[in-house]
Each structure stands twice: as C-alpha cells, then as structure tokens.
C-alpha cells in the first residue's frame, strides 16, 4: 500500500463512519415518528400477497410505467442504484489498492458486462430525468408544473449525485484500463475501454477516483440523514415497505381506491352504539391520530407531483394539491415529533398529557408546533386550510397515479370525519343535504312516497320485491334515479331495456333509501352507517335464503355501485353488484338486445370516477356505445384511468364551487373539443354536472349529454318517444 492509498483509505473510512452514524440516527428518528401513529393491524394480513405485489410493482415498475418515458428512465436508474451499489462496495477495495476488486464475482466477465450495461443505461436514464425536471421546472413559462411546491434543490442534488457516481464508476475502470490492470475484455466493457483510452497511465488514478466516488456517495448519505423529510431520496428505501403495507394488495390499481377505510379507534372499527367521544377517536384531529401507515405514507412521498398533475381541484385553480397536502402533514409530523416523543400531546378532551417537567427541555418551535390546529386558516396557524380539505372530490386520480401507493383519499376523509362529527365544521350548504339524508332518506329531501314516480307511463309493469316470487336482479334505482328528472330518464331507459331483454328484475320502491355515499365522503360516518345498516337489513331480507352469487344488484349510479358492492360488506351486506353498463354490454353480446339503427353525430364518453378509476369498469360502457353507434368513439385526451372528474364526487355535488374555474366547465370544454354531438355518461352526477357545463357554455342546442343506456335504447327501439332533443338515428 503506497502513501496515496494510505490517505485514500483513511479518508474513505472516516467519511463512511460519519455517514453511517448519521444514517442510523436518521432511521431511528424516522422509525420513532412513524411509530407515533395509531395501530393498523389489518396491514399485516396476507403477507405472501403483499410480498408478491411489492416485488411486481418495484421490479416491474408497473405504476411508474404508466408514464412511459419517465417510467423507463426511472427503472434504469433504480436498477443502477441497486446493482451498482456493488461497485460502491468495490471502491473500498480500490482505495486500498488500485488493482483491487470485489472478491469472487469481481473477476467474472459476466459481472463486468452486466455492470457496464447498467451503468450506460443508468446514465441515459438519469440524464432523461434531469431533462424532464428542467423542462417542468415550476418557474418555467407556461403555467403550473407538477413540481410546483416540490423542494427543487433536493431533486437536483439527488440527480447530480447519481450522475457523478455513475461517471466516476467509469473513471475508475478507465484508469484500470489505462494502467493495464482491467479484468474485463473489450467486447464486454467497450465504454470503460473508451474512457481508458483518453486517461493517462496514472498508477494511483483508480484509488483517487474510488475515493471521490465514495465521498460523493457518503455526502449523499450525510445530506439525506440530516434531512429526514427528504422524500425524493428516502423513497428509495421507504417505497418497499409502503407498497408492502398498502391497504389491499389484491387490487389491480391504487390500493386506496374504491371503498374507504372504516372509521377506527385504536385500530378497531368504531361501533357508534358504544362509542364515546371522550374515549374513542372520531376521525383525525391531530397528526399522530393517523395510523402508522399514514405517517409512513407522508414520509415516503417522492414529491414527483404526479398526483398534483392529475388532480381536478389543482388543475382548476383550487388550493388543494394532494402532494402539498401530504408534504404539509409530513413536515408537521416531524416538526411536532420532539414534543410528542417527550410525552406531549392532547387527549381526546383537549387536555395536555405531558407534565411541565417533561416539556421543559423542548425548544419553543416544537412546543408551537404542538399547538397548531390540524385544520385551520393561515390566521389560525392551521396545518391544512379548510378550503384545501373541502376542495377534494375524492375522484382518486391522486391515488391512481402515485408510484408509491400513498392513500390520499383515506387521509382526507379521516380529517373530514373529525371536522363534521366533532367540530360540526363543514360548508354550510352541505348541511341541508345531511339533514335531508337524516330526515328524508335522500339528499334532495324529496318525499319517500314519490320514489316510484319514475315508473308512471311505462308500457309494462315494474315488479316490486315481495310482489314477485323470484327475480334475477334487484334494480337499485338510487336517489338520483328516483328523484332527479334527467336521471329518471336513465332509470326508465334501463328498465325498458331489461324488460325488452327478458331479464327478471324487481325494485325496492319505497323500501329503498340513500346508499349513504354522500354522507360518508363528506365525513359523516354516523349518518352513513345509519342509512347503510337500514339498507343492508332491507336487502338481506329481500335476498333471504340466497347465496352471495345469487344476491345480484344492478345499479345505475356508480356511487351506489361502489358503496353497495365495496362498503356494505363492512356492515354485513354481501352482494354481487354490477353497473347497468356491464349488464347491458352482456345482454347485447349474448343477443338479448339488438341495436337496429346507429345513432348519428359522433359520440364521446366521459368515464365516471367511481365507475372507471375506482372500480376499473372501462370496457363495458364503450362496448355498449360501440354497438349503438356502429363506429369509433371519439375519445377525450383524458380518458379511462386518467379521466377528468366532473366535480360532483366527495359530496361536492351539494357544495358551491367558489374558487377557481368550475371543474365541470373544464371537462365540458374537453368534450366539446372532440367535435362529438353526444357526450355519453354512466353516472347521474356526471350527467347533471356536464349538462350544466354545456348549458353554461351556451351549447345546449349543439351538444347533448345523455346516459349510455339512453343511447342504446335509441338504437334498439328507435320508435321510442323522445323526451328531450335527441340525435337522429340514421338508417342502417
């Protein structure tokens, strides 16, 4: 060992010792913060399925590759980080001797070939990611960026570190080539040989370059250890457990889509008959009241902004960004952690749990963080502004896009639950809807004895449960389908088509009440459970004696479809629920319904969030439309899993949109830009919102918004009387 190697070895050992010590301290701090969260015992079930899903999502980059170029580039960088860590380890041998290498595998040509390929592809990948970040920088001309609000220096820092580590890996090899100490042949490592051809024959060059590579790598570790909220770096480690512990590893898309988590206290679902607000947690009022998985979610956020780029609220000028909400909660959790770890915090009655002695050593900033309300205006020093909380439509676009499976919607609804149930703080206009649900069983406050008025004038009898001995499907009409004029036309169209196809079905009539979706999404779990338990009892009685496979329900509202099919199981209601477009697609494909005249004028289809993104029903409505129009659907740029929300979900249907551009107008402009004369929908909420948007644009005479079922009915029975302005069927 020469004098240069003595120096390089000492320096490498010194900086590594410091970095490892800081990293251990950082990991212990992060673990302590995450453990402050509430229990979530269900996250430990199905470990085999969780491990498989985690491996598929990480190794296969299944979620990242939804954005092709970015996903591919990130995959090469990820593989480079994992595999080329061996070359960082090898650098420790090279600082000792310039001819050093990894024991055993370090001399294998296949190892040299593999690491050469990964290095080159990693360089290409990181350069692509750097270019994308620069092209989308927040201060660029042209408007908002998905990186708006991200800590940009951290992103640049990480990318430059990766680039320099890859470059110095080639420099080390180049010096070995230049001094004729390289193990691998030219055909296996052509780039390394090319670098060596331009480097001098310096015997100590490999050791010096190895030291620089180690210093760069350990500088990265030191910086991230001193910044435990640096998600753009820490996600490399935290993504694996965060994906492993996702809510439902069996789901094809975002684990946090579809049903909401039940309201829990100490890890157990809350029973309202026995719950005590002074002993049981009602929603989330303090950051430590999120589950430990929630705190892991916040720590894992990469600040990539994919969620932000897809959020309808953010894209229409609302203050909500799912990314910024998560980052605010993360920063608050870590700033508040010293206070909490010292024993501080408020109990459920608002009293301080710690003694003065426990808090005496804390700095004033930690104490101040402990006094911040989780929800509050800037004047109140709130962590999350109320306008942010109530802008969410629960459309799930953020969850769909998140590459590390953060469950934004669950966290937002948990905070809403406390605001509604304990603080009684929510947009005033939504109070009318909640009172109507409690008193009338529907959000419009319509008399219950008018639930069957939609059946009047039909040329066939609509059977009621109890009036017929048997039926294949229970037709869940829903509140909109029973009371809202436009939606009633859809209800009548579906009933007519089912009758035409010879499908035996029955309705509950006045026995049906609201599914509870608006109450649950706004945060009123009590009203949801009251309505849901009533419906579960009614449905169980209607299906008495039937196995689950024969307890079939068809629903026209995706919100009812989602609630009955995904959430009633939490309350003892197990049913097979289909959306009407799924049943109609089946009836057409089996020849029980036959379109005879195609509808003219061009059709585009709007995917309802709770049908498409939340429940993956994309094909069925398109199949129905394809048969009805005998041509191609003109797709909007944002469709299928990236469909843009209509603005009505999350109980926003009953709240005024006072900030920014109206979401439904944004969507209508996109639909009108296709040139289609018919905008087909599969949801009564979407129908209302898009109709309002079309009329607001003054295009009511040129563009029609109707349900998929109505389009099919016009094609199957073109002689049907018209209730509205209609597209004219053309001869086949």
């Amino acid at each position: 060992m020469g004098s240069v190697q003595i120096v390089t070895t000492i320096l490498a050992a010194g900086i590594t010792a410091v970095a490892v010590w800081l990293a251990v301290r950082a990991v212990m701090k992060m673990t302590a913060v995450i453990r402050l969260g509430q229990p979530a015992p269900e996250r430990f079930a199905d470990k085999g399925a969780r491990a498989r899903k985690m491996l598929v999502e990480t190794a296969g980059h299944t979620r990242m590759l939804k954005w092709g170029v970015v996903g591919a580039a990130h995959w090469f960088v990820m593989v480079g980080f994992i595999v080329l860590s061996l070359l960082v380890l090898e650098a420790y041998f090279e600082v000792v001797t310039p001819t050093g290498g990894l024991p055993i595998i370090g001399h294998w040509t296949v190892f040299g070939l593999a690491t050469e390929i990964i290095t080159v592809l990693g360089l290409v990948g990181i350069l692509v990611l750097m270019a994308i970040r620069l092209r989308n920088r927040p201060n660029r001309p042209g408007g908002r960026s998905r990186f708006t609000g991200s800590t940009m220096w951290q992103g640049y820092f990480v990318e430059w570190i990766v680039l320099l580590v890859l470059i110095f890996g080639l420099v080390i090899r180049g010096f070995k080539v230049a001094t004729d100490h390289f193990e691998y042949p030219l055909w296996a490592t052509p780039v390394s040989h090319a670098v060596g051809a331009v480097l001098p024959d310096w015997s100590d060059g490999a050791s010096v370059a190895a030291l620089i590579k180690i210093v760069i790598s350990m500088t990265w570790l030191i910086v991230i250890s001193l910044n435990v909220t640096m998600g753009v770096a820490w996600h490399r480690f935290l993504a694996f457990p965060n994906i492993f512990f996702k809510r439902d590893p069996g789901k094809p898309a975002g684990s946090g889509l579809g049903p909401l988590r039940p309201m829990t206290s100490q890890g157990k679902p809350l029973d309202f008959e026995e719950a005590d607000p002074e002993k049981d947690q009602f929603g989330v009022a303090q950051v430590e009241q999120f589950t430990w998985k929630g705190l892991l979610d916040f720590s894992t956020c990469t600040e990539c902004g994919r969620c932000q780029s897809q959020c309808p609220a953010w894209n229409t000028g609302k203050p909500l960004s799912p990314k910024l909400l998560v980052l605010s909660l993360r920063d608050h959790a870590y700033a508040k952690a010293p206070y909490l770890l010292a024993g501080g915090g408020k109990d459920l009655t608002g009293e301080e749990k710690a003694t003065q002695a426990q808090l005496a050593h804390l700095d004033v900033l930690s104490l101040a963080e402990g006094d911040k309300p989780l929800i509050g205006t800037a004047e109140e020093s709130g962590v999350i502004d109320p306008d942010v909380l109530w802008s969410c439509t629960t459309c799930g676009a953020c969850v769909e896009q998140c590459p590390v499976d953060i469950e934004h919607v669950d966290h937002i609804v948990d905070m809403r639950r406390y605001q509604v149930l304990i603080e009684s703080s929510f947009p005033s206009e939504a109070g009318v809807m909640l009172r109507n649900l409690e008193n009338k069983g529907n959000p419009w406050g319509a008399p219950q004895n008018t639930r069957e008025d939609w059946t009047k004038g039909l040329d066939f009898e609509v059977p009621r449960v109890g009036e017929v001995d048997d039926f294949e499907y229970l037709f869940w009409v829903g509140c909109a389908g029973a009371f809202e004029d436009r939606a009633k036309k859809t209800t009548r169209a579906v009933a007519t088509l089912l009758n035409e196809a010879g499908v035996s079905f029955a309705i509950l009539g006045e026995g049906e009440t609201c599914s509870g979706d608006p109450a649950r999404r706004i945060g009123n779990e009590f009203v949801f459970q009251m309505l849901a338990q009533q419906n579960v009892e009614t449905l169980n009685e209607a299906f008495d004696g039937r196995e689950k496979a024969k307890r079939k329900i068809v629903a026209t509202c995706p919100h009812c479809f989602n609630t009955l099919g995904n959430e009633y199981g939490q309350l003892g209601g197990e049913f097979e629920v289909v959306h009407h477009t799924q049943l109609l697609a089946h009836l057409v494909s089996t020849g029980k319904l036959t379109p005879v005249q195609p509808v003219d004028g061009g059709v585009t289809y709007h995917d309802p969030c709770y049908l498409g993104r939340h429940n993956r029903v994309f094909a069925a409505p398109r199949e129905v439309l394809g048969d009805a129009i005998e041509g191609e659907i003109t797709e909007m740029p944002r469709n299928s899993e990236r469909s843009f929300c209509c603005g009505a979900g999350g109980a926003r249907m009953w709240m005024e949109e006072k900030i920014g551009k109206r979401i439904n107008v944004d969507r209508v402009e996109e639909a009108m830009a296709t040139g289609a004369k018919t905008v087909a929908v599969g949801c009564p909420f979407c129908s209302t919102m898009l109709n309002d948007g079309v009329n607001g644009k003054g295009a009511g005479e040129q563009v029609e918004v109707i349900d998929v079922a109505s389009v099919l009915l016009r094609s199957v029975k073109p002689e049907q009387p018209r209730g509205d302005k209609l597209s004219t069927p053309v001869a086949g």
Side-chain angles (χ1 to χ4, degrees):
M1 180 187 293
S3 58
V4 171
Q5 282 70 42
I6 292 172
V7 173
T8 56
T9 301
I10 292 171
L11 291 175
I15 194 170
T16 301
V18 172
V20 169
W21 177 74
L22 289 172
V24 170
R25 190 181 69 166
V27 169
M28 291 175 65
K29 180 176 181 179
M30 295 176 76
T31 303
V33 172
I34 291 167
R35 286 169 61 89
L36 288 168
Q38 300 302 303
E42 73 281 1
R43 304 284 181 168
F44 293 92
D46 303 318
K47 291 186 178 68
R50 291 180 180 280
R52 287 191 297 273
K53 190 69 172 182
M54 183 264 289
L55 289 172
V56 167
E57 282 199 20
T58 53
H61 256 41
T62 52
R63 295 172 71 77
M64 285 293 297
L65 286 171
K66 290 178 180 178
W67 291 27
V69 173
V70 178
H74 189 277
W75 187 85
F76 291 131
V77 172
M78 181 199 73
V79 172
F81 176 80
I82 295 171
V83 176
L84 299 182
S85 295
L86 291 172
L87 297 187
V88 176
L89 177 60
E90 187 175 51
Y92 286 93
F93 293 90
E94 291 160 340
V95 294
V96 176
T97 172
T99 61
L102 283 176
I104 305 175
I105 65 171
H107 299 283
W108 294 355
T109 299
V110 68
F111 177 72
L113 173 63
T115 50
E116 184 89 349
I117 293 171
I118 292 170
T119 297
V120 172
L121 293 177
L123 279 168
V124 172
I126 197 62
L127 288 171
V128 168
L129 294 180
M130 293 173 80
I132 289 171
R133 187 178 294 273
L134 287 169
R135 189 183 67 197
N136 291 281
R137 65 192 185 280
N139 60 351
R140 81 196 194 291
R144 288 180 168 187
S145 159
R146 65 185 176 96
F147 292 118
T148 298
S150 298
T151 314
M152 294 302 288
W153 76 262
Q154 295 179 354
Y156 294 136
F157 172 78
V158 168
E159 288 166 348
W160 273 102
I161 289 289
V162 172
L163 179 64
L164 291 173
V165 166
L166 292 171
I167 289 173
F168 273 90
L170 289 173
V171 171
I172 294 169
R173 289 184 162 190
F175 275 120
K176 286 186 174 181
V177 170
T179 56
D180 201 24
H181 291 114
F182 197 45
E183 308 96 318
Y184 311 120
L186 173 62
W187 68 265
T189 53
V191 178
S192 296
H193 278 83
V195 173
V198 299
L199 290 178
D201 181 1
W202 180 25
S203 60
D204 296 324
S207 293
V208 173
L211 173 63
I212 296 173
K213 182 175 181 178
I214 290 170
V215 169
I216 293 169
S217 300
M218 293 304 107
T219 298
W220 174 79
L221 190 55
I222 289 169
V223 170
I224 73 167
S225 297
L226 295 174
N227 293 273
V228 290
T229 59
M230 194 170 174
V232 69
W234 282 106
H235 83 274
R236 295 183 177 199
F237 310 106
L238 297 179
F240 297 98
N242 207 57
I243 295 170
F244 181 88
F245 289 115
K246 63 161 63 183
R247 175 145 61 89
D248 185 352
K251 283 199 170 181
S255 167
L257 295 172
L260 288 171
R261 284 182 66 252
M263 200 162 91
T264 60
S265 180
Q266 292 300 312
K268 298 177 182 178
L270 201 64
D271 183 347
F272 279 99
E273 292 184 2
E274 301 177 0
D276 181 351
E278 294 189 1
K279 298 178 181 178
D280 295 302
Q281 181 180 314
F282 281 55
V284 169
Q286 305 290 335
V287 73
E288 65 272 19
Q289 291 177 351
F290 287 106
T291 66
W292 62 262
K293 174 56 170 64
L295 295 176
L296 179 59
D297 269 0
F298 308 152
S299 302
T300 308
C301 179
T302 72
E303 304 190 24
C304 68
R306 288 187 178 210
C307 57
Q308 182 170 285
S309 72
Q310 304 297 303
C311 177
W314 178 260
N315 277 287
T316 53
K318 315 291 189 293
L320 168 64
S321 155
K323 177 187 73 178
L324 298 180
L325 178 138
V326 165
L327 298 186
S328 296
L329 293 171
R330 179 198 67 189
D331 294 345
H332 173 59
Y334 281 88
K336 189 177 180 181
Y339 162 71
L340 295 172
L341 292 170
K346 304 294 191 296
D347 63 21
L348 294 173
T349 63
E351 295 296 319
E352 175 60 58
K353 292 187 288 187
T355 64
Q356 287 294 326
Q358 287 176 297
L359 303 180
H361 69 285
L362 294 179
D363 64 65
V364 67
L365 294 178
S366 295
L367 291 171
E369 204 72 31
D371 288 331
K372 282 186 177 181
L374 192 64
I375 306 299
T377 62
E379 291 76 17
E380 297 165 332
S381 298
V383 178
I384 304 296
D385 192 277
D387 285 335
V388 170
L389 187 68
W390 297 111
S391 291
C392 179
T393 66
T394 69
C395 72
C398 49
V399 179
E400 169 76 36
Q401 289 297 325
C402 182
V404 293
D405 278 302
I406 293 171
E407 297 160 6
H408 312 73
V409 174
D410 282 339
H411 304 321
I412 288 172
V413 173
D414 272 341
M415 290 186 284
R416 284 183 171 188
R417 285 166 168 167
Y418 181 82
Q419 294 300 305
V420 172
L421 293 171
I422 301 300
E423 297 290 338
S424 295
S425 177
F426 49 88
S428 57
E429 60 269 22
V432 177
M433 177 268 291
L434 289 172
R435 286 193 296 274
N436 286 336
L437 288 177
E438 289 190 75
N439 300 326
K440 299 289 188 177
N442 69 84
W444 283 278
Q448 185 72 354
N449 60 10
T450 62
R451 266 198 184 267
E452 299 178 41
D453 284 1
W454 65 270
T455 63
K456 295 176 181 178
L458 291 174
D459 56 7
F460 58 91
E461 191 69 25
V462 177
R464 280 76 175 165
V465 171
E467 296 178 0
V468 289
D469 294 331
D470 195 21
F471 54 90
E472 184 179 5
Y473 287 94
L474 188 149
F475 182 13
W476 183 271
V477 176
C479 299
F483 300 121
E484 204 272 326
D485 287 341
R486 275 193 209 94
K488 282 196 279 189
K489 292 169 185 170
T490 301
T491 308
R492 291 166 64 89
V494 171
T496 302
L497 289 166
L498 294 182
N499 182 69
E500 182 77 10
V503 176
S504 62
F505 69 96
I507 63 172
L508 289 172
E510 294 183 29
E512 183 184 304
T513 191
C514 181
S515 68
D517 165 86
R520 187 168 228 198
R521 265 73 198 166
I522 202 174
N524 198 324
E525 186 74 4
F526 177 79
V527 170
F528 164 73
Q529 290 199 21
M530 177 186 73
L531 295 168
Q533 286 168 351
Q534 179 181 335
N535 282 325
V536 166
E537 184 178 337
T538 301
L539 290 167
N540 283 339
E541 184 178 335
F543 289 121
D544 187 39
R546 297 194 194 190
E547 59 189 40
K548 181 181 176 181
K550 294 183 178 179
R551 295 156 68 92
K552 298 180 181 179
I553 298 174
V554 57
T556 58
C557 175
H559 298 265
C560 297
F561 165 66
N562 178 70
T563 304
L564 271 63
N566 293 328
E567 298 185 335
Y568 275 19
Q570 299 169 1
L571 300 168
E574 296 289 340
F575 313 109
E576 289 291 332
V577 187
V578 298
H579 188 252
H580 71 282
T581 58
Q582 293 174 296
L583 181 54
L584 294 178
H586 170 72
L587 295 175
V588 172
S589 68
T590 55
K592 294 182 178 178
L593 288 174
T594 305
V596 294
Q597 290 193 35
V599 174
D600 191 19
V603 174
T604 190
Y605 174 64
H606 163 80
D607 288 274
C609 299
Y610 273 85
L611 181 64
R613 189 158 39 241
H614 279 280
N615 285 284
R616 321 313 289 177
V617 179
F618 302 120
R622 288 175 169 81
E623 290 168 4
V624 174
L625 291 172
D627 289 321
I629 67 175
E630 281 192 357
E632 293 292 323
I633 299 169
T634 306
E635 293 282 10
M636 287 182 260
R638 295 176 290 192
N639 64 77
S640 301
E641 68 271 9
R642 291 199 194 180
S643 179
F644 197 69
C645 183
C646 74
R652 290 290 325 174
M653 180 83 170
W654 291 274
M655 293 183 248
E656 282 299 317
E657 196 169 346
K658 301 173 182 175
I659 304 173
K661 184 179 182 180
R662 295 183 69 87
I663 294 173
N664 62 331
V665 171
D666 192 296
R667 186 57 165 170
V668 160
E669 288 173 352
E670 186 175 6
M672 291 174 62
T674 66
K677 300 302 181 186
T678 300
V679 180
V681 297
C683 172
F685 291 2
C686 296
S687 177
T688 296
M689 298 299 285
L690 297 188
N691 261 297
D692 288 351
V694 166
N695 292 332
K697 299 290 292 184
E701 294 299 316
Q702 294 81 42
V703 178
E704 183 182 19
V705 180
I706 56 169
D707 192 88
V708 170
S710 296
V711 177
L712 179 62
L713 182 61
R714 295 176 188 184
S715 183
V716 170
K717 301 184 72 174
E719 75 284 357
Q720 281 288 107
R722 307 300 204 241
D724 267 346
K725 168 189 68 64
L726 302 174
S727 302
T728 305
V730 296

